[in-house]
Structures are given as C-alpha cells and as structure tokens.
Amino acid sequence: MSKANLRAGLVGLGSMGRHHCRVLSELDGVELVAVVDPMGDKFGVARGVPVLESVEELISQGVDYTVVACPTALHEEVGLRLAEAGVHALVEKPVADTVDGARRLVEAFERRGLVAGVGHIERYNPALQNLRARLEAGELGEVFQVVTRRQGPFPHRIADVGVVKDLATHDIDLTAWVTGTPYVSISAHTVSKSGRPHEDMVAAVGQLSDGTMVNHLVNWLSPLKERFTSVTGERGCFIADTLTADLTFHSNAAVATEWEALQAFRGVAEGDMIRYAIPKREPLLVEHEFFRDAVLGVSHEISTLREGLRTVEVAAAVLESAASGATVRLDTAVDAVPSGA
C-alpha cells in the first residue's frame, strides 16, 4: 500500500463529519471515495463524492479505512461492521457510549490486526503538543497538578450523551496523555439544568498514579467559551489555551520578594512569564496525517482504541462518582498507560 492509493470512507456528515469530509477531500495521498449519511448531503459539503445510505454500501466500494463520525450511540455498531470487513477505522471520541461497547471494539480491531484510532483532537493542538514535549524534557520538574476548564454555550448538535462523555473526555484524555500517567481515582459532582436527561455541568477532582492531582470543570451552560489547561510543577506553571493554541510559562522567581506584605500571601514568588512562538497547523489535519501514516505503517503516533477505552472507563467513573457521592478507584493496568502521539 502506498500513499497514492489509500481509499477512504466517511460515516456521518454532521457537525464534526463535515470537517472530516473537508480534510479527507484535500488530504495528500488519500482519495475520499464515498460518504454514508441516511439524511444525505443536506449541508452540501460532499463535493461530488457519492453519498450512500449504509455502511455495507461503503464497504463494497473497497475502502482501506473509514472515519466514523456518526452519533456516539452508533459507534459500536458501525465499528464492528468495519472490523469484520477488515477496514481500518478512525472513530470520533468517545470511542463508544459504554465501557463494554468500547471494549468490544478494541477486541474486534486488535483480533484482526487492524489500525484503529480515536479522534481525540486535542492531542494534536499545537499548544498541547509543545507542552507535552516540554514536560517530557523535564522543564517543569515534578508535576504537582493539572487543571482544566472547558466551558461554553449549549451545543444543540449533541442529543445522545451528556457533557461528561461529549466534552470531559477531551480533558481526561489530554491529561493522561500530556503527563503520560493514568488516573487512579476520581470524585465528581454533576448538575442538569437544560431539561435534558443528561448532565450539562461537571466538577471533578482526581489523582494520577504518580500522585499528581487533577481538577476538571466542564459545562455547556456558560456564554463564555474557554479551553484552559494548566500544569503546575516544582519550577513553575504552564498554561495552554487551546482556542488560540498559545502556550505560556510562568516560572518561579529566582529573586525573593522583599515586600513584606506580599511575602505573607505568596508561598512561591513570581518569576518571568514566557509566551512561546509555536508553529500552528490545524489539529484535525495533523490528526488525519498521523492516522494515514499509521495505516501505511510508517507511524504509530495515534490515539489508539485501547487508550480510548481507558478514557471511557474514567468518564464512566466520573458519572458513577456523581451518582453515588463516593470516590471511585480505577484499575492501573499497564496496557492502560497512554502511549505517544
């Protein structure tokens, strides 16, 4: 298989599917041969590519891989059909709406030796890629805490899951990925104010296996759109804004504060602040390039289904904790530790 003959398919032309369609239509070395959406191309984005009604029709087109961007509740059904047909797949996050469903997908693709990934797009945000590289290089020293805030207006496109599976899975995955460390416990509270059966706000506190504390605040009840990640360690604090793909570093001061009134309130003195100049490419395009190369066997830098399963497990623990009022412990199996992307 060479870059010149990869035949790709797409399932779903919804909010995210339309972006996948655009990128696949322009991706070097890939031909988008067909799209599946029972509603047709109602947004006019298929650019002349045939729009089919079923996954079986798509498989009959002889596709090498398929992007699954249909509603979360259908991921398992569609993914299992693709695996049975020997088709590689990039499945939008979360990989499935249940832990058991995610596990069945992992087993189906691994049993057949197929390449399968999850669309955790934040991994490909320039700010977080740069942050992860700096953490791996030891620039922050020991990591103490990871804090994320992900909030914004209500997304009417989402109907089948709540804010934990739709949005918090971004923060769960990126936290485990940038630190290279799995979750061992989580405690959470949720509220539902929109009149839907699912939660639309969550506040969670957790711990990673190395003792790092994590805090997540996620909601779609705010007019303020925010995508904030802060990593604090022994040498200072990194702050990533994934809306603008900016990364800044606030260092601990090398010079002590002499103002006595300030000394009383500061355990750590302020130091220099640096905003890094980072090349900024579209995260979705980078994600597709990595997955294309994984199918070709020249790269393995993708978010795997097994890592996606781990994220679904943590999300399920968040909901379990919110329902029970208790802290939930998580298994720390070796194969659950995030690998590189």
Side-chain angles (χ1 to χ4, degrees), residues 52 56 62 65 97 120-121 204 248 253 258 285 309:
L52 311 176
E56 285 76 14
Y65 75 92
D97 60 348
H120 282 297
I121 193 171
T248 57
E258 297 182 7
L285 173 59
L309 165 61

Side-chain angles (χ1 to χ4, degrees), residues 156-292:
H156 295 284
R157 62 183 176 82
I158 301 297
D160 57 342
V161 295
V163 74
V164 171
K165 292 180 180 179
D166 180 58
L167 289 184
T169 47
H170 280 302
D171 295 313
I172 292 167
D173 179 75
L174 75 84
T175 297
W177 177 71
V178 298
T179 62
T181 311
Y183 288 73
V184 295
S185 68
I186 200 80
S187 178
H189 295 279
T190 61
V191 296
S192 180
K193 298 293 185 181
S194 63
R196 300 180 335 127
H198 304 292
E199 78 289 342
D200 35 49
M201 177 179 286
V202 61
V205 177
Q207 188 176 44
L208 305 183
S209 63
D210 62 356
T212 298
M213 182 170 67
V214 300
N215 302 77
H216 303 308
L217 177 62
V218 188
N219 80 75
W220 50 38
L221 298 177
S222 170
L224 167 69
K225 189 170 184 178
E226 184 178 32
R227 302 289 184 266
F228 170 95
T229 300
S230 170
V231 183
T232 301
E234 61 180 322
R235 296 176 186 164
C237 175
F238 284 111
I239 296 178
D241 182 337
T242 53
L243 284 177
T244 60
D246 287 327
L247 178 66
T248 57
F249 177 59
H250 298 257
S251 69
N252 295 337
V255 179
T257 299
E258 297 182 7
W259 187 0
E260 185 176 352
L262 290 182
Q263 286 180 332
F265 294 100
R266 297 188 180 187
V268 174
E270 289 178 329
D272 295 330
M273 185 186 77
I274 303 169
R275 184 171 69 84
Y276 299 103
I278 304 171
K280 298 179 180 180
R281 302 183 67 221
E282 182 185 1
L284 187 62
L285 173 59
V286 177
E287 179 181 71
H288 273 275
E289 289 175 344
F290 275 128
F291 191 79
R292 173 201 63 196

Side-chain angles (χ1 to χ4, degrees):
M1 204 180 293
S2 68
K3 284 190 178 182
N5 66 359
L6 278 181
R7 293 170 60 82
L10 170 64
V11 178
L13 280 174
S15 178
M16 197 64 200
R18 299 197 296 273
H19 292 292
H20 283 295
C21 186
R22 170 180 55 83
V23 173
L24 283 168
S25 298
E26 301 172 353
L27 187 61
D28 181 47
V30 171
E31 179 188 2
L32 177 60
V33 297
V35 175
V36 175
D37 196 312
M39 302 295 291
D41 185 17
K42 61 182 180 179
F43 297 102
V45 296
R47 305 185 183 189
V49 174
V51 180
L52 311 176
E53 293 188 359
S54 71
V55 176
E56 285 76 14
E57 290 179 84
L58 177 64
I59 293 171
S60 71
Q61 300 294 311
V63 291
D64 297 307
Y65 75 92
T66 291
V67 176
V68 179
C70 54
T72 303
L74 299 176
H75 285 185
E76 180 185 356
E77 177 186 349
V78 172
L80 290 178
R81 290 183 188 177
L82 294 172
E84 183 180 358
V87 178
H88 307 291
L90 173 61
V91 183
E92 258 305 330
K93 63 84 202 164
V95 62
D97 60 348
T98 66
V99 172
D100 288 343
R103 188 173 291 114
R104 284 189 287 268
L105 283 173
V106 169
E107 292 170 352
F109 281 94
E110 288 186 351
R111 185 166 57 248
R112 293 167 175 81
L114 296 167
V115 177
V118 188
H120 282 297
I121 193 171
E122 290 285 46
R123 291 194 182 199
Y124 306 96
N125 188 286
L128 293 178
Q129 292 242 321
N130 195 274
L131 168 57
R132 185 174 191 261
R134 293 180 182 279
L135 293 179
E136 287 183 330
E139 292 185 19
L140 194 59
E142 181 185 356
V143 175
F144 302 150
Q145 182 185 46
V146 179
V147 175
T148 69
R149 297 195 303 269
R150 183 176 300 270
Q151 47 193 348
F154 181 78
H156 295 284
R157 62 183 176 82
I158 301 297
D160 57 342
V161 295
V163 74
V164 171
K165 292 180 180 179
D166 180 58
L167 289 184
T169 47
H170 280 302
D171 295 313
I172 292 167
D173 179 75
L174 75 84
T175 297
W177 177 71
V178 298
T179 62
T181 311
Y183 288 73
V184 295
S185 68
I186 200 80
S187 178
H189 295 279
T190 61
V191 296
S192 180
K193 298 293 185 181
S194 63
R196 300 180 335 127
H198 304 292
E199 78 289 342
D200 35 49
M201 177 179 286
V202 61
V205 177
Q207 188 176 44
L208 305 183
S209 63
D210 62 356
T212 298
M213 182 170 67
V214 300
N215 302 77
H216 303 308
L217 177 62
V218 188
N219 80 75
W220 50 38
L221 298 177
S222 170
L224 167 69
K225 189 170 184 178
E226 184 178 32
R227 302 289 184 266
F228 170 95
T229 300
S230 170
V231 183
T232 301
E234 61 180 322
R235 296 176 186 164
C237 175
F238 284 111
I239 296 178
D241 182 337
T242 53
L243 284 177
T244 60
D246 287 327
L247 178 66
T248 57
F249 177 59
H250 298 257
S251 69
N252 295 337
V255 179
T257 299
E258 297 182 7
W259 187 0
E260 185 176 352
L262 290 182
Q263 286 180 332
F265 294 100
R266 297 188 180 187
V268 174
E270 289 178 329
D272 295 330
M273 185 186 77
I274 303 169
R275 184 171 69 84
Y276 299 103
I278 304 171
K280 298 179 180 180
R281 302 183 67 221
E282 182 185 1
L284 187 62
L285 173 59
V286 177
E287 179 181 71
H288 273 275
E289 289 175 344
F290 275 128
F291 191 79
R292 173 201 63 196
D293 292 347
V295 172
L296 292 168
V298 298
S299 173
H300 302 286
E301 298 183 13
I302 62 172
S303 174
T304 67
L305 282 196
R306 188 162 289 276
E307 292 169 351
L309 165 61
R310 179 61 175 182
T311 297
V312 172
E313 288 174 338
V314 178
V318 168
L319 293 172
E320 180 185 344
S321 173
S324 67
T327 297
V328 176
R329 300 288 301 178
L330 291 140
D331 177 40
T332 55
V334 174
D335 64 3
V337 177
S339 61

